[in-house]
CSV table of all heavy atoms in Angstrom, one decimal:
chain,number,residue,atom,x,y,z
A,465,THR,N,112.3,7.7,-79.8
A,465,THR,CA,111.5,6.7,-80.5
A,465,THR,C,112.3,5.4,-80.6
A,465,THR,O,113.6,5.4,-80.7
A,465,THR,CB,111.1,7.1,-81.9
A,465,THR,OG1,112.2,7.4,-82.7
A,465,THR,CG2,110.2,8.4,-81.8
A,466,PHE,N,111.6,4.3,-80.6
A,466,PHE,CA,112.3,3.0,-80.6
A,466,PHE,C,111.5,2.0,-81.5
A,466,PHE,O,110.3,2.1,-81.6
A,466,PHE,CB,112.3,2.3,-79.2
A,466,PHE,CG,113.0,3.1,-78.1
A,466,PHE,CD1,112.4,4.2,-77.5
A,466,PHE,CD2,114.3,2.8,-77.8
A,466,PHE,CE1,113.1,4.9,-76.5
A,466,PHE,CE2,115.0,3.5,-76.9
A,466,PHE,CZ,114.4,4.6,-76.2
A,467,ALA,N,112.2,1.2,-82.2
A,467,ALA,CA,111.7,0.1,-83.0
A,467,ALA,C,111.6,-1.2,-82.2
A,467,ALA,O,110.8,-2.1,-82.6
A,467,ALA,CB,112.5,-0.1,-84.3
A,468,SER,N,112.3,-1.3,-81.1
A,468,SER,CA,112.4,-2.5,-80.3
A,468,SER,C,111.8,-2.2,-78.9
A,468,SER,O,112.2,-1.3,-78.2
A,468,SER,CB,113.8,-3.0,-80.1
A,468,SER,OG,114.0,-3.9,-79.1
A,469,TYR,N,110.8,-3.0,-78.6
A,469,TYR,CA,110.2,-2.9,-77.2
A,469,TYR,C,111.2,-3.2,-76.1
A,469,TYR,O,111.3,-2.5,-75.1
A,469,TYR,CB,109.0,-3.8,-77.1
A,469,TYR,CG,108.2,-3.7,-75.8
A,469,TYR,CD1,107.8,-2.5,-75.3
A,469,TYR,CD2,107.9,-4.9,-75.1
A,469,TYR,CE1,107.1,-2.5,-74.1
A,469,TYR,CE2,107.2,-4.9,-73.9
A,469,TYR,CZ,106.8,-3.6,-73.4
A,469,TYR,OH,106.1,-3.6,-72.3
A,470,GLU,N,112.0,-4.2,-76.3
A,470,GLU,CA,113.0,-4.5,-75.3
A,470,GLU,C,114.0,-3.4,-75.1
A,470,GLU,O,114.4,-3.1,-74.0
A,470,GLU,CB,113.7,-5.8,-75.7
A,470,GLU,CG,112.9,-7.1,-75.6
A,470,GLU,CD,111.8,-7.2,-76.7
A,470,GLU,OE1,111.9,-6.5,-77.7
A,470,GLU,OE2,110.8,-8.0,-76.5
A,471,GLU,N,114.4,-2.8,-76.2
A,471,GLU,CA,115.3,-1.6,-76.1
A,471,GLU,C,114.7,-0.5,-75.4
A,471,GLU,O,115.3,0.2,-74.6
A,471,GLU,CB,115.8,-1.2,-77.5
A,471,GLU,CG,116.8,-0.1,-77.4
A,471,GLU,CD,117.3,0.4,-78.8
A,471,GLU,OE1,116.7,-0.1,-79.8
A,471,GLU,OE2,118.2,1.2,-78.9
A,472,LEU,N,113.4,-0.2,-75.6
A,472,LEU,CA,112.7,0.8,-74.9
A,472,LEU,C,112.7,0.6,-73.4
A,472,LEU,O,113.0,1.5,-72.6
A,472,LEU,CB,111.3,1.0,-75.4
A,472,LEU,CG,110.4,2.1,-74.7
A,472,LEU,CD1,109.5,2.8,-75.7
A,472,LEU,CD2,109.6,1.5,-73.6
A,473,LEU,N,112.3,-0.7,-73.0
A,473,LEU,CA,112.3,-1.0,-71.6
A,473,LEU,C,113.7,-0.8,-71.0
A,473,LEU,O,113.8,-0.5,-69.8
A,473,LEU,CB,111.8,-2.4,-71.4
A,473,LEU,CG,110.3,-2.6,-71.7
A,473,LEU,CD1,109.9,-4.1,-71.5
A,473,LEU,CD2,109.4,-1.7,-70.8
A,474,ASP,N,114.7,-1.1,-71.7
A,474,ASP,CA,116.1,-1.0,-71.2
A,474,ASP,C,116.6,0.4,-71.1
A,474,ASP,O,117.3,0.8,-70.2
A,474,ASP,CB,117.0,-1.8,-72.1
A,474,ASP,CG,118.4,-1.9,-71.6
A,474,ASP,OD1,118.6,-2.1,-70.4
A,474,ASP,OD2,119.4,-1.6,-72.4
A,475,LYS,N,116.2,1.3,-72.1
A,475,LYS,CA,116.8,2.6,-72.2
A,475,LYS,C,115.9,3.8,-72.0
A,475,LYS,O,116.4,4.9,-71.7
A,475,LYS,CB,117.5,2.7,-73.6
A,475,LYS,CG,118.6,1.7,-73.9
A,475,LYS,CD,119.2,1.9,-75.3
A,475,LYS,CE,120.3,0.9,-75.5
A,475,LYS,NZ,120.9,1.1,-76.9
A,476,ALA,N,114.6,3.7,-72.2
A,476,ALA,CA,113.7,4.8,-72.1
A,476,ALA,C,113.6,5.4,-70.7
A,476,ALA,O,113.6,4.6,-69.7
A,476,ALA,CB,112.4,4.5,-72.7
A,477,ASP,N,113.5,6.7,-70.6
A,477,ASP,CA,113.2,7.3,-69.3
A,477,ASP,C,111.7,7.4,-69.1
A,477,ASP,O,111.0,8.3,-69.5
A,477,ASP,CB,113.8,8.7,-69.3
A,477,ASP,CG,113.6,9.5,-68.0
A,477,ASP,OD1,113.3,8.8,-67.0
A,477,ASP,OD2,113.6,10.7,-68.0
A,478,CYS,N,111.1,6.3,-68.5
A,478,CYS,CA,109.7,6.2,-68.3
A,478,CYS,C,109.4,5.5,-67.1
A,478,CYS,O,110.1,4.5,-66.7
A,478,CYS,CB,109.0,5.6,-69.5
A,478,CYS,SG,109.4,3.9,-69.9
A,479,THR,N,108.3,5.9,-66.4
A,479,THR,CA,107.8,5.2,-65.2
A,479,THR,C,106.6,4.3,-65.5
A,479,THR,O,106.2,3.5,-64.7
A,479,THR,CB,107.5,6.2,-64.1
A,479,THR,OG1,106.5,7.1,-64.6
A,479,THR,CG2,108.7,6.9,-63.6
A,480,ALA,N,106.0,4.5,-66.7
A,480,ALA,CA,104.8,3.8,-67.1
A,480,ALA,C,104.8,3.6,-68.6
A,480,ALA,O,105.4,4.4,-69.3
A,480,ALA,CB,103.6,4.5,-66.6
A,481,VAL,N,104.1,2.5,-69.0
A,481,VAL,CA,103.9,2.3,-70.4
A,481,VAL,C,102.4,2.1,-70.7
A,481,VAL,O,101.6,1.6,-69.9
A,481,VAL,CB,104.7,1.0,-71.0
A,481,VAL,CG1,106.1,1.2,-70.8
A,481,VAL,CG2,104.1,-0.2,-70.3
A,482,PHE,N,102.0,2.7,-71.9
A,482,PHE,CA,100.7,2.5,-72.4
A,482,PHE,C,100.8,1.5,-73.6
A,482,PHE,O,101.4,1.8,-74.6
A,482,PHE,CB,100.1,3.8,-72.9
A,482,PHE,CG,98.8,3.7,-73.6
A,482,PHE,CD1,97.8,2.9,-73.2
A,482,PHE,CD2,98.7,4.4,-74.8
A,482,PHE,CE1,96.6,2.8,-73.9
A,482,PHE,CE2,97.5,4.3,-75.5
A,482,PHE,CZ,96.5,3.5,-75.1
A,483,ILE,N,100.2,0.3,-73.4
A,483,ILE,CA,100.3,-0.7,-74.4
A,483,ILE,C,99.1,-0.6,-75.4
A,483,ILE,O,98.0,-0.8,-75.0
A,483,ILE,CB,100.4,-2.1,-73.8
A,483,ILE,CG1,101.7,-2.2,-73.0
A,483,ILE,CG2,100.3,-3.2,-74.8
A,483,ILE,CD1,101.8,-3.5,-72.2
A,484,ALA,N,99.4,-0.3,-76.7
A,484,ALA,CA,98.4,-0.1,-77.7
A,484,ALA,C,98.8,-0.9,-78.9
A,484,ALA,O,98.6,-0.4,-80.1
A,484,ALA,CB,98.2,1.4,-78.0
A,485,THR,N,99.3,-2.1,-78.7
A,485,THR,CA,99.8,-3.0,-79.8
A,485,THR,C,98.6,-3.9,-80.2
A,485,THR,O,97.6,-4.0,-79.5
A,485,THR,CB,101.0,-3.7,-79.4
A,485,THR,OG1,100.7,-4.4,-78.1
A,485,THR,CG2,102.2,-2.8,-79.2
A,486,PRO,N,98.8,-4.8,-81.2
A,486,PRO,CA,97.8,-5.8,-81.5
A,486,PRO,C,97.5,-6.7,-80.3
A,486,PRO,O,98.4,-6.9,-79.4
A,486,PRO,CB,98.5,-6.6,-82.6
A,486,PRO,CG,99.3,-5.6,-83.3
A,486,PRO,CD,99.9,-4.7,-82.2
A,487,MET,N,96.3,-7.1,-80.2
A,487,MET,CA,95.7,-7.7,-79.0
A,487,MET,C,96.5,-8.9,-78.5
A,487,MET,O,96.6,-9.1,-77.2
A,487,MET,CB,94.3,-8.1,-79.3
A,487,MET,CG,93.4,-8.4,-78.1
A,487,MET,SD,91.7,-8.6,-78.6
A,487,MET,CE,91.8,-10.3,-79.1
A,488,LEU,N,97.0,-9.7,-79.3
A,488,LEU,CA,97.7,-10.9,-78.9
A,488,LEU,C,99.0,-10.7,-78.2
A,488,LEU,O,99.5,-11.6,-77.5
A,488,LEU,CB,97.9,-11.9,-80.1
A,488,LEU,CG,96.7,-12.4,-80.8
A,488,LEU,CD1,97.1,-13.2,-82.0
A,488,LEU,CD2,95.8,-13.3,-79.8
A,489,LEU,N,99.5,-9.4,-78.2
A,489,LEU,CA,100.7,-9.1,-77.6
A,489,LEU,C,100.5,-8.5,-76.2
A,489,LEU,O,101.5,-8.3,-75.5
A,489,LEU,CB,101.5,-8.1,-78.5
A,489,LEU,CG,101.8,-8.5,-79.9
A,489,LEU,CD1,102.5,-7.3,-80.6
A,489,LEU,CD2,102.7,-9.7,-79.9
A,490,HIS,N,99.3,-8.1,-75.8
A,490,HIS,CA,99.1,-7.3,-74.6
A,490,HIS,C,99.6,-7.9,-73.4
A,490,HIS,O,100.3,-7.3,-72.6
A,490,HIS,CB,97.6,-7.0,-74.5
A,490,HIS,CG,97.1,-6.1,-75.5
A,490,HIS,ND1,95.7,-5.8,-75.6
A,490,HIS,CD2,97.7,-5.4,-76.5
A,490,HIS,CE1,95.5,-4.9,-76.6
A,490,HIS,NE2,96.7,-4.7,-77.2
A,491,ALA,N,99.3,-9.2,-73.1
A,491,ALA,CA,99.7,-9.8,-71.9
A,491,ALA,C,101.2,-9.9,-71.7
A,491,ALA,O,101.7,-9.6,-70.7
A,491,ALA,CB,99.0,-11.2,-71.7
A,492,ARG,N,101.8,-10.4,-72.8
A,492,ARG,CA,103.3,-10.6,-72.7
A,492,ARG,C,104.0,-9.3,-72.5
A,492,ARG,O,104.9,-9.2,-71.7
A,492,ARG,CB,103.7,-11.4,-73.9
A,492,ARG,CG,105.2,-11.7,-74.0
A,492,ARG,CD,105.7,-12.4,-72.8
A,492,ARG,NE,104.9,-13.5,-72.4
A,492,ARG,CZ,104.9,-14.0,-71.2
A,492,ARG,NH1,105.7,-13.6,-70.3
A,492,ARG,NH2,104.0,-15.0,-70.9
A,493,GLN,N,103.6,-8.3,-73.2
A,493,GLN,CA,104.2,-7.0,-73.1
A,493,GLN,C,104.0,-6.4,-71.8
A,493,GLN,O,104.9,-5.7,-71.2
A,493,GLN,CB,103.8,-6.1,-74.3
A,493,GLN,CG,104.4,-6.5,-75.6
A,493,GLN,CD,104.0,-5.6,-76.7
A,493,GLN,OE1,102.9,-4.9,-76.7
A,493,GLN,NE2,104.8,-5.6,-77.8
A,494,ALA,N,102.8,-6.5,-71.2
A,494,ALA,CA,102.5,-6.0,-69.9
A,494,ALA,C,103.4,-6.7,-68.8
A,494,ALA,O,103.9,-6.0,-67.9
A,494,ALA,CB,101.0,-6.2,-69.5
A,495,ILE,N,103.5,-8.0,-68.9
A,495,ILE,CA,104.3,-8.7,-68.0
A,495,ILE,C,105.8,-8.3,-68.1
A,495,ILE,O,106.5,-8.1,-67.1
A,495,ILE,CB,104.2,-10.2,-68.2
A,495,ILE,CG1,102.8,-10.7,-67.8
A,495,ILE,CG2,105.2,-11.0,-67.5
A,495,ILE,CD1,102.4,-12.1,-68.3
């Protein structure tokens, strides 16, 4: 588990992300 999205992208073992955050964050986090 991570509190920081940037840390997750840097350290997590994942090939895909499911973005379920507040709507105004979707585009930036997807990019």
